[in-house]
Amino acid sequence: MRSPLTGRLGLAAVLAIVLAVFGLAPAASADPAPAALTFSTSSATTTPGGTVQLSMTLTNNKSYDIWFVYQTIDPTWLTNQRPDLKYGFTGCSLATASGATACSGTGPANLGGNYGATVPPGQSRTVTLTLQVAADSGCNGNIGFYSYYYAEFSDSSNATGGPVYTPETRVLCA
C-alpha cells in the first residue's frame, strides 16, 4: 500500500526531470567576482640577464567604486626551492589614460597602493612589474608567483581573492 505522500514526491521528481531536460528549469546565474585579478607576461621565456614584464589587472565588477586595495605577490614554493635562481623586481608602473606613471606603493610586498585611489565600476587598473633575472643566475625551469588581494568598495562591502597564480603560463627561464 502506497501513501499519498509517496505519490506526490514521485510526481514532483518526474516533473523536475522533465523541466530540466527541456530547459525550463531555472538556470543558476554565475555572478562575476566583485573584483577580478588577472595576470599576463610580456614573454613566456627569458634567459640569465633578461627581463620580463609581469602585468596585473584589477577589474571592478561591482556597481560601486573600489576605494581600497591591498595585494601581495610572492614566489611559489617551487620557485623558492631553487637556490641557483637570482631575480628581482626592478621597476613598477601603473597604466593611466595619459600613459604609464611610476608606482606609488611600497613594491611587490604591497601592490595595493599602486592601483590608484578609486577604481570606478566596470573599469580596470593595470600595474606592471619588471622582473630582472641576474646575469649569473641559474636558469633551468619556471619562475612563478602567487598573489592574494583584498578590495573595499564604497558600499562598505569587501572582497578577497587568492591565491591567484601568475600567470597560467609561467615564465620559463632557460
Side-chain angles (χ1 to χ4, degrees):
M1 177 168 157
R2 251 173 53 175
S3 74
L5 181 59
T6 306
R8 288 187 186 127
L9 290 176
L11 180 60
V14 169
L15 183 58
I17 291 170
V18 168
L19 290 174
V21 168
F22 290 103
L24 301 174
S29 64
D31 290 335
L37 185 62
T38 58
F39 293 88
S40 63
T41 59
S42 62
S43 174
T45 62
T46 190
T47 58
T51 61
V52 176
Q53 305 299 316
L54 173 63
S55 297
M56 297 154 291
T57 301
L58 179 72
T59 303
N60 182 357
N61 293 325
K62 281 191 93 172
S63 57
Y64 298 94
D65 290 344
I66 293 178
W67 277 357
F68 173 80
V69 177
Y70 176 79
Q71 180 191 349
T72 62
I73 186 164
D74 297 292
T76 60
W77 184 83
L78 287 174
T79 299
N80 270 335
Q81 299 308 304
R82 297 185 38 219
D84 63 327
L85 180 62
K86 300 175 193 171
Y87 65 89
F89 291 112
T90 59
C92 182
S93 66
L94 169 65
T96 67
S98 58
T101 184
C103 292
S104 61
T106 58
N110 178 7
L111 292 165
N114 297 326
Y115 286 100
T118 302
V119 181
Q123 291 191 18
S124 300
R125 297 283 187 274
T126 300
V127 170
T128 301
L129 297 173
T130 302
L131 174 68
Q132 174 75 49
V133 178
D136 64 341
S137 177
C139 218
N140 56 1
N142 288 321
I143 303 171
F145 297 92
Y146 69 95
S147 182
Y148 287 94
Y149 72 92
Y150 170 82
E152 289 184 357
F153 297 87
S154 61
D155 68 343
S156 299
S157 66
N158 59 56
T160 58
V164 178
Y165 290 93
T166 140
E168 289 80 19
T169 306
R170 299 196 172 138
V171 177
L172 176 63
C173 191

